[in-house]
Amino acid sequence: MPALTEKKGCILIIDDSQSNLDLLETLLSDRGYTIRTADGGQPGLDLARTISPDLILLDIMMPMMNGYEVCLRLKEDPQLRDIPVIFISALDDIMEKVTGFKVGGVDYIAKPFQLEEIIARVETHLELRWKRWEVEHLREWERNYYQKLMELKDELMSTASHNIKNPVSNILGGIHLLRKSEKLSPKGEKYVEMIERGAERISSLITDMLDVAWVEAGLKDVPETLHVKAFLQPIVEHFTYGAQKKNLTLQFTPPSVDFSIRVVPSRMSQAVENLLSNAVKYTPSGGRIEVTADLQDENVLIRVTDTGLGIPVEDLPHIFDKFYRVQRREHLDQPGSGLGMTIVQTIVTQHNGRVEVESKEGQGSTFTIVLPA
Ligand code: ADP
């Protein structure tokens, strides 16, 4: 819409009557508008495509192609559909006005012309178009700004994570060596444990932050076709020790007839691992965790069910948000970054799937990864 920014605006007048064209052209060019004219529907459309005017004044009654048809064609053209069209007609008929609005006109001027009325309507619609243009530009500017902020944030997160990772590993390594080389007093051991817990929390936060960046960078590897049982079995086995330590029953029920899935193994295993790690974390001692895989209709369903804390209903819509953690004591007592579910959802979405969750507070949760078969 450069015309409006540079001048008062460019108006295209389409009318088969030369006297009308002359009258409107004189009136509007005197007001500072740039005027282009066409004496019929088809030449009007051709000219509109060439000059992209800011506003069109369009006569209804024209031979060959009437104003309604011209307007419909303008609205079909993505380049021209936003240009406001004001109909002009000798008939001051209500049905005619309604049809004008139906085909996409924004206003209607009846002949014989009232000069002040024409100017007022033209000015109003140009002003409106200008404002709309401003809003759209502002939105685009905001979108770009937001995008830049997000990129900056990702860069910051990634740089900070990399820079923190090594010193934290040094602290944990140092603690390990200290324990090996010194006999610590009970008090000393207590302090070392405090340092260790803190360092472990930072370390897992950094790992999750780096994982988010890695996952959000998109699927780089090629998906592979794998048997679902062979894919899930080792992942579940990896959690056997942690589950036993918490006195949890962990069971994997493979499908009665094995089937294949097409996934990027490193990514999808991380998604399942995150679900299992949460199930172990948020299920109190004595509970039960089950992993299943099924084919249903056109979908593969990988399910992780636990009999744990469950998720309050008001938190359910937010658990996939970055850094979101349920603000309940028993949840916050568990170490976590609030990034695990974001990672799961990003990975599954990248596989054209979705994650479903059903949960009842105090009874447990079921997370289902649904993938197209
Ligand atoms: P976190 O690192 O805190 O575990 P996640 O993104 O993995 O973060 O999960 C978000 C929140 O959802 C958790 O803080 C927890 O409160 C809740 N949550 C996730 N999985 C479970 C589950 N199996 N049982 C109960 N609560 C869960």
Side-chain angles (χ1 to χ4, degrees):
M1 170 130 180
L4 262 183
T5 51
E6 290 158 14
K7 312 178 191 92
K8 273 194 85 176
C10 173
I11 301 172
L12 169 63
I13 310 169
I14 308 174
D15 196 323
D16 62 320
S17 146
Q18 192 56 49
S19 58
N20 276 344
L21 287 179
D22 292 343
L23 172 74
L24 291 168
E25 182 171 10
T26 312
L27 172 75
L28 293 166
S29 52
D30 281 355
R31 299 276 163 160
Y33 296 108
T34 304
I35 304 300
R36 303 298 300 269
T37 58
D39 60 4
Q42 191 56 56
L45 275 174
D46 294 341
L47 192 56
R49 286 193 186 107
T50 326
I51 63 169
S52 263
D54 299 306
L55 183 101
I56 297 175
L57 290 178
L58 180 57
D59 185 28
I60 294 177
M61 307 287 270
M62 290 186 293
M64 317 281 278
M65 190 190 291
N66 69 27
Y68 298 138
E69 198 176 334
V70 176
C71 191
L72 283 171
R73 298 220 186 158
L74 287 167
K75 297 298 156 193
E76 277 166 14
D77 187 333
Q79 299 276 311
L80 305 174
R81 69 162 60 114
D82 292 333
I83 302 171
V85 173
I86 300 179
F87 281 110
I88 40 183
S89 174
L91 305 168
D92 195 5
D93 172 51
I94 181 72
M95 278 323 289
E96 199 172 53
K97 286 184 191 168
V98 171
T99 312
F101 286 119
K102 269 193 186 150
V103 296
V106 293
D107 211 341
Y108 185 98
I109 300 173
K111 292 185 214 169
F113 298 133
Q114 304 293 318
L115 301 186
E116 289 311 315
E117 181 194 355
I118 295 175
I119 289 162
R121 288 187 194 269
V122 163
E123 272 176 4
T124 305
H125 286 290
L126 279 172
E127 181 74 6
L128 269 175
R129 180 155 160 74
W130 175 230
K131 292 278 178 240
R132 212 176 306 130
W133 184 80
E134 266 185 336
V135 170
E136 273 159 23
H137 269 241
L138 204 63
R139 273 205 204 120
E140 193 175 323
W141 182 85
E142 278 177 351
R143 260 198 304 274
N144 290 340
Y145 188 67
Y146 178 76
Q147 173 79 18
K148 280 214 180 85
L149 274 181
M150 287 299 110
E151 282 166 13
L152 206 67
K153 180 215 67 179
D154 289 345
E155 208 181 301
L156 194 77
M157 257 172 72
S158 157
T159 315
S161 307
H162 280 292
N163 289 340
I164 296 169
K165 205 176 159 77
N166 284 343
V168 173
S169 302
N170 290 346
I171 297 173
L172 287 167
I175 291 171
H176 179 72
L177 294 175
L178 183 67
R179 280 211 183 98
K180 265 179 99 176
S181 62
E182 306 285 330
K183 173 94 188 95
L184 294 169
S185 68
K187 224 177 193 175
E189 178 58 33
K190 205 174 115 199
Y191 295 146
V192 166
E193 260 175 32
M194 263 167 63
I195 299 169
E196 188 177 38
R197 259 202 314 277
E200 271 168 0
R201 286 209 168 199
I202 299 173
S203 169
S204 87
L205 178 66
I206 296 301
T207 306
D208 283 356
M209 280 164 72
L210 287 171
D211 280 349
V212 170
W214 174 64
V215 163
E216 284 184 345
L219 287 183
K220 298 250 162 39
D221 304 315
V222 185
E224 290 174 28
T225 304
L226 306 166
H227 287 293
V228 75
K229 186 175 169 192
F231 170 66
L232 288 174
Q233 189 94 50
I235 301 176
V236 179
E237 272 164 17
H238 179 74
F239 285 87
T240 315
Y241 176 69
Q244 267 170 6
K245 234 170 82 176
K246 268 190 91 178
N247 188 27
L248 302 171
T249 313
L250 172 60
Q251 190 186 327
F252 172 43
T253 312
S256 42
V257 181
D258 202 3
F259 55 85
S260 301
I261 51 170
R262 204 163 160 70
V263 293
V264 175
S266 57
R267 296 285 169 106
M268 194 49 72
S269 48
Q270 175 159 25
V272 180
E273 277 166 18
N274 283 10
L275 292 183
L276 262 166
S277 139
N278 277 353
V280 172
K281 250 188 344 190
Y282 298 110
T283 303
S285 170
R288 186 182 156 73
I289 298 167
E290 191 179 6
V291 180
T292 61
D294 286 301
L295 259 183
Q296 206 175 75
D297 302 325
E298 298 292 287
N299 293 318
V300 170
L301 310 181
I302 298 173
R303 240 185 217 121
V304 178
T305 303
D306 66 60
T307 58
L309 299 176
I311 300 165
V313 69
E314 64 274 16
D315 291 293
L316 274 177
H318 307 292
I319 58 162
F320 297 103
D321 296 350
K322 268 183 198 164
F323 298 110
Y324 191 85
R325 305 200 68 206
V326 173
Q327 295 301 304
R328 298 278 174 98
R329 177 89 203 273
E330 60 281 22
H331 286 255
L332 296 174
D333 278 348
Q334 301 302 323
S337 62
L339 291 171
M341 297 308 298
T342 312
I343 294 172
V344 175
Q345 193 175 48
T346 310
I347 293 172
V348 175
T349 310
Q350 285 167 346
H351 284 79
N352 301 317
R354 61 179 191 278
V355 188
E356 292 176 353
V357 49
E358 285 165 58
S359 189
K360 264 218 171 98
E361 222 184 323
Q363 292 186 21
S365 313
T366 298
F367 285 86
T368 311
I369 295 177
V370 183
L371 298 172

